[in-house]
Amino acid sequence: MKKIIGLILSILTISIDAQTKEDKIVLVIHGGAGTILKKNMTLEKEKAYRDALTVSLTKGYEVIQRGGESENAVIEAIKVMEDSPLFNAGKGAVFTHEGKNELDASLMIGHTMQAGAVAGVTTIKNPILAANAVLHNSAHVMMIGKGAEEFAEKQGLEIVAPSYFKTEERWKSLQKVLEKDKEKTELDHDTKTQAYVPFNFVDEKFGTVGAVALDHQGHISAGTSTGGMTNKRFGRVGDSPIIGAGTYANKEVGVSSTGWGEYFIKAVAAYDVAALMNYKNLSSKQAGEEVIKKIGQLGGDGGMIVLDKNGQASFPFNTAGMYRGSITQSGKITIEIYQ
Ligand code: ASP
């Protein structure tokens, strides 16, 4: 049975590199990179992820099909994953050390260079909508915490009790990491960086979500949404809401990152893809691969989705897996999880 399903899946899986220009990719998404191993995955769980990614791609695609704008396709695709408990964004976000869900999101429109982001929010049902509201309806680019929540409420966005975001699975993950923390001495040091590591989140899976879309006008937008990393502390903010690190778009390319955020911030990862294309004339694929290589050299891990103005997509990552998918102009869906 497993073999037959595997065969069907591989027949359905069309190599992204083999996409022709005529059937260019119009939307790419990710549901996070990390230690996603086939041996730890059940068929049911894998199906649930594939189904959720398919709905996300379909919702975003509908916007493009209607002649809508790329940023709205990104928002629709991300909203589906924020509402799903499977992903570390919106409902299903990971927990902080104190047992809270603190959410981050960002959105950027390439051709206008408009950007919006929120960080450390605890009551906004869909943080990507708040990022969009910051982008369109404020003079700012980034709002945090209470201020962002007050703004979102004034913008008429749905506000929920912090308990809305809680899922049993993420709660258990926190308990597991807290157990490991107890085994560590107070002043633990990261073996790679020798830096003070007051908390342990290295082993945890990631699971951030992101999308990049290319609309009929040739405009590109990118967005990212996350709960951050399990056991984060002291108001820690990762790369996801940071324009240039977690999200970036210009007229040529759009990028959304996922992985160990500290490294993506230091590498200015999402912007670096655009910069390598601009200054070094690399293709979007080469640029993405180069950036992930740099992240690895720094000691970090994760991945990114890259979509350029020609509809060429790439999905570089250096983890065991990354939930990822694409849909072409003609509606052909491809979903992949492992290396
Ligand atoms: N990049 C996110 C962060 O560091 C985590 C993730 O991608 O899952 O907050």
Side-chain angles (χ1 to χ4, degrees):
M1 185 64 181
K2 260 190 189 171
K3 269 192 182 160
I4 296 171
I5 293 174
L7 191 68
I8 294 169
L9 288 178
S10 60
I11 290 168
L12 288 175
T13 304
I14 300 133
S15 162
I16 287 159
D17 288 332
Q19 295 296 335
T20 60
K21 278 213 170 128
E22 295 74 52
D23 196 15
K24 58 187 181 185
I25 289 171
V26 292
L27 175 65
V28 290
I29 58 170
H30 69 78
T35 40
I36 310 160
L37 297 169
K38 207 170 177 107
K39 66 176 168 62
N40 299 333
M41 185 70 94
T42 62
L43 272 181
E44 296 75 50
K45 207 166 165 196
E46 183 165 329
K47 184 179 180 307
Y49 275 104
R50 286 181 180 276
D51 288 351
L53 294 169
T54 302
V55 176
S56 167
L57 285 168
T58 310
K59 286 276 175 197
Y61 179 72
E62 280 167 14
V63 175
I64 305 280
Q65 278 300 90
R66 285 198 302 268
E69 280 151 356
S70 56
E71 74 259 32
N72 292 324
V74 166
I75 291 168
E76 286 306 315
I78 289 183
K79 246 173 70 188
V80 170
M81 293 187 280
E82 284 182 339
D83 291 343
S84 162
L86 292 174
F87 304 99
N88 171 22
K91 188 166 183 66
V94 299
F95 283 91
T96 65
H97 182 77
E98 290 77 21
K100 290 186 184 159
N101 302 112
E102 293 177 357
L103 315 173
D104 310 325
S106 62
L107 179 70
M108 183 160 188
I109 304 176
H111 72 289
T112 60
M113 302 292 278
Q114 285 170 289
V118 293
V121 297
T122 59
T123 59
I124 303 170
K125 184 172 179 242
N126 290 105
I128 193 65
L129 293 180
N132 183 47
V134 173
L135 184 155
H136 284 291
N137 304 333
S138 85
H140 306 310
V141 167
M142 192 176 206
M143 296 184 191
I144 62 162
K146 289 268 167 287
E149 288 167 2
E150 197 185 317
F151 174 74
E153 194 165 358
K154 287 206 167 115
Q155 288 289 309
L157 298 186
E158 192 171 345
I159 302 298
V160 291
S163 58
Y164 162 80
F165 300 104
K166 182 175 177 175
T167 58
E168 230 10 74
E169 190 160 339
R170 299 295 187 196
W171 183 251
K172 279 191 201 140
S173 298
L174 174 65
Q175 304 316 314
K176 228 172 68 194
V177 184
L178 290 177
E179 274 306 307
K180 274 194 222 159
D181 265 5
K182 271 196 209 144
E183 291 160 20
K184 299 176 105 197
T185 53
E186 206 196 328
L187 274 179
D188 202 352
H189 285 76
D190 185 299
T191 45
K192 275 180 203 141
T193 60
Q194 288 303 306
Y196 169 57
V197 181
F199 48 100
N200 190 343
F201 58 22
V202 180
D203 295 338
E204 279 312 292
K205 289 186 201 77
F206 305 116
T208 292
V209 308
V212 185
L214 170 67
D215 63 28
H216 287 306
Q217 319 244 39
H219 296 158
I220 303 168
S221 296
T224 311
S225 181
T226 191
M229 288 173 81
T230 304
N231 203 25
K232 63 182 181 179
R233 286 182 94 170
F234 310 117
R236 180 265 188 192
V237 174
D239 60 314
S240 308
I242 295 178
I243 297 300
T247 298
Y248 191 75
N250 63 15
K251 286 183 181 161
E252 306 292 317
V253 71
V255 181
S256 169
S257 315
T258 172
W260 193 345
E262 279 68 10
Y263 290 92
F264 282 77
I265 294 173
K266 289 186 269 194
V268 200
Y271 173 72
D272 201 24
V273 173
L276 285 168
M277 289 172 66
N278 192 10
Y279 302 133
K280 262 191 152 179
N281 237 346
L282 297 194
S283 71
S284 59
K285 188 172 190 289
Q286 289 168 329
E289 281 164 3
E290 181 82 21
V291 172
I292 291 301
K293 204 169 100 195
K294 279 189 206 171
I295 298 273
Q297 283 161 353
L298 285 171
D301 56 355
M304 45 179 39
I305 52 172
V306 181
L307 180 63
D308 69 25
K309 65 173 184 207
N310 301 316
Q312 293 294 308
S314 57
F315 304 79
F317 60 98
N318 65 359
T319 48
M322 177 163 86
Y323 298 108
R324 59 201 189 277
S326 66
I327 186 160
T328 67
Q329 212 160 36
S330 70
K332 208 175 292 166
I333 288 180
T334 304
I335 289 168
E336 286 176 291
I337 300 178
Y338 314 103
Q339 277 281 7

